[in-house]
Structures are given as structure tokens and as C-alpha cells.
Amino acid sequence: MSAEVLLTVRDLSVHTGDTPLVTGVDLTVARGATLGVVGESGSGKSLTCRSLLGILPPGLRNGDDTTITFDGTDLRALDARGWLGIRGTRIGAVFQDPASYLNPSITVGRQLAEVLRVRVGLGRRAARDRAVELLADMGLHEPARVYRQYPFELSGGMLQRVLIAVAICAEPDLLIADEATTALDVTVQAEVLDLLSDLQERTGLALILVSHDLAVVAQVCEEVVVMRDGVVVERGTAGDVLTAPAHAYTRSLVDAHARYGIERFRPAVTVHG
Ligand SMILES: Nc1ncnc2c1ncn2[C@@H]1O[C@H](COP(=O)(O)OP(=O)(O)OP(=O)(O)O)[C@@H](O)[C@H]1O
Ligand SMILES: [Mg+2]
């Protein structure tokens, strides 16, 4: 087990004009660790993630006091060129709605192979072979056939597997999954979570898993932070946050789940109502 720090975020804030949307977020992620970020809609999860990728929406900016250090590099100081060596290579990301990240008129295999050519520097042939291999690694059956299919021919779960392949093909140190399974039905969601968990264990990449669903995060992550109204209200191990939530807001998230079967994810649960 290594406790080497990979990512340090201090006093992260996001503003639009003078209005703060996110304030005072501190995060530390060790190499190979898993961090879950939970909170209801609008709590600031995505703006926090986007800050880590240098892709805030137009008009939004990080506060001057925000520091983000990734493997020794000050991400706040990067210019567009500097980001090319980080985003998509050292830090991968997957979001909700995979279809919108793929070109509808190019086969998924060619799109993955293109990323392998550009980001990994593989030749045409090697990129194609590696793409098929990656599709198989993502648990897609008949990967050579999937390679030749267009996005509209694949289910949401299959598309998300393709996007995960794209996100990890350059062997990043950190993968950010922001509501990556939210749009999928429950069974497929569980399968994709298993895949992420499996990849994390197999490759040793660190994972930041974002969800409004505490059960999803607790299934995969050792550490959890809970956000509300742009601030972190609670943090701890997934077990502690589930069994002994300190904040009333977290308790309400846990209680809501107690009624829908979070029992599966923690040893003892008091079901209210
Ligand atoms: N481009 C934008 N311009 C202005 N305000 C924004 C913008 N994007 C997000 N916000 C606001 O910032 C806050 C945090 O948004 P964010 O998208 O980070 O929430 P979230 O926790 O990811 O929510 P969800 O679970 O719905 O994805 C919200 O109040 C949102 O309305
Ligand atoms: Mg979001």
C-alpha cells in the first residue's frame, strides 16, 4: 500500500462574477486511492471536477486562493499547451450522456483508435489492434464487431464502456467519473461500477467517483466527501459516513437510502419509517 499523494486541492472556489458557487473545498487523493463525492443536484460536484480538468464553463473562474497540485504540477499555472499533457492523458474523465462525446458518423473503434494515435502515439495498425484489445478489456463481447459499430448501434451501457476505454487508454494516474452511471438502468449501472472498480484495482489508477447517490459511491470508494451548497459538509471513510454520519444532511441521504436498500452496502442499518 502506498500513501504517496497524487492530488492536493486546497481552498478551491468557483465564482461567477462576484457570486461564489463553490467555496473552500479541500481534497487529497493518494496514488491508487478512491474518493467519492456525493451531494444533491447543484451542490458543486461538477464544478469541482471541472476545475481539476481546467474546463470550467465560460464566465466561471477559480478563486485566486485555489491551489490544485497534481503529481507535483501546479495545475492552476498551466497554459493551454501544458493542459495537453495532462487532460486526457494523465487525468482521464467520463461524464453522463456518453453519446454526446462521440461523433455519430464515425465507428466507435475508429474514434478510440484515433485517440490512441494522438495521445499514445501508436501507428494506424497498432492503434486498431490496441483499440480492439481495450474494448475487450472493458467487458464488451465481440470487440472486433463493436469496433465497427456506430454510436447509435450501441446501448448506453456499451457506449459508456467505450468512453471509459477512451478515458483510460493513455493510462492516466487519475480517472474522474462524474455521474458516469447515472443515466444507466440499475443493472447496467452496477456492471459499469464493477468495471471502474476492477480497473482501479488492476491498473492502480486513482478514482474520483461523483454521484448524487451515496449508495453508488459507497460501493466503490474508500473515502467519501459530502457536498452541499458549494461546500464540503462531511468527509470520512465510506463506512463511517454510512454508519455514523455526523452531518444532518448526510443523515438524510443515508436515511433516504435505508428505505431503498442501502443495507447491502453497510453491515447494520436502522430503517426509519
Ligand atoms: N455555467 C454556469 N453558470 C452559472 N452557474 C452555474 C454554471 N454551472 C453551474 N452553475 C451553478 O453552480 C452550482 C453548482 O453546479 P454543479 O454543476 O457543480 O452541481 P452538481 O453538484 O454537479 O449538480 P448535479 O448533481 O445536478 O450534476 C449550481 O447552483 C449551478 O446552478
Ligand atoms: Mg454535476
Side-chain angles (χ1 to χ4, degrees):
M1 202 191 90
S2 155
E4 190 197 335
V5 172
L6 179 66
L7 176 75
T8 312
V9 174
R10 289 291 170 265
D11 204 9
L12 182 146
S13 61
V14 180
H15 309 263
T16 168
D18 285 338
T19 313
L21 298 170
V22 173
T23 42
V25 173
D26 293 336
L27 302 173
T28 305
V29 180
R31 207 169 265 287
T34 48
L35 175 71
V37 180
V38 277
E40 64 198 351
S41 187
S43 57
K45 305 179 301 292
S46 292
L47 292 183
T48 300
C49 289
R50 284 170 158 272
S51 299
L52 308 181
L53 293 158
I55 49 169
L56 282 178
L60 305 194
R61 55 174 189 83
N62 290 120
D64 294 339
D65 295 335
T66 301
T67 62
I68 307 171
T69 311
F70 173 77
D71 201 19
T73 302
D74 173 8
L75 297 189
R76 299 285 325 278
L78 293 180
D79 55 12
R81 214 188 124 93
W83 272 111
L84 287 179
I86 300 276
R87 192 193 301 126
T89 34
R90 312 261 338 261
I91 305 179
V94 255
F95 300 96
Q96 202 172 336
D97 189 20
S100 66
Y101 294 90
L102 290 164
N103 185 326
S105 58
I106 303 177
T107 63
V108 296
R110 267 191 60 200
Q111 296 186 63
L112 174 56
E114 183 58 23
V115 177
L116 285 160
R117 280 157 52 99
V118 173
R119 299 247 165 88
V120 187
L122 298 183
R124 191 178 290 275
R125 182 83 189 241
R128 198 182 60 206
D129 293 349
R130 178 70 185 132
V132 174
E133 215 172 86
L134 277 166
L135 293 174
D137 282 353
M138 296 308 117
L140 287 158
H141 304 298
E142 296 190 72
R145 183 177 131 87
V146 173
Y147 184 100
R148 294 191 304 270
Q149 288 184 302
Y150 290 90
F152 73 87
E153 298 179 281
L154 303 182
S155 69
M158 292 170 87
L159 286 175
Q160 199 55 288
R161 287 173 193 270
V162 171
L163 264 290
I164 293 170
V166 170
I168 59 122
C169 73
E171 299 179 5
D173 301 290
L174 174 64
L175 177 65
I176 298 175
D178 184 356
E179 305 278 7
T181 63
T182 304
L184 307 174
D185 75 48
V186 178
T187 320
V188 180
Q189 169 163 326
E191 287 167 7
V192 172
L193 286 173
D194 278 348
L195 169 64
L196 289 174
S197 207
D198 194 52
L199 276 174
Q200 187 268 329
E201 278 170 29
R202 210 168 61 206
T203 66
L205 60 69
L207 179 65
I208 296 182
L209 184 69
V210 176
S211 177
H212 60 275
D213 188 335
L214 186 54
V216 161
V217 153
Q219 198 178 338
V220 175
C221 299
E222 303 149 327
E223 296 260 337
V224 173
V225 301
V226 180
M227 293 188 70
R228 188 187 197 185
D229 294 337
V231 298
V232 172
V233 293
E234 177 148 2
R235 66 177 72 231
T237 65
D240 286 350
V241 169
L242 280 173
T243 50
H247 195 280
Y249 174 63
T250 314
R251 270 198 300 281
S252 73
L253 291 179
V254 173
D255 287 348
H257 276 300
R259 291 190 283 272
Y260 302 109
I262 206 173
E263 298 90 334
R264 284 178 292 138
F265 305 115
R266 59 173 173 162
V269 65
T270 314
V271 181
H272 302 280

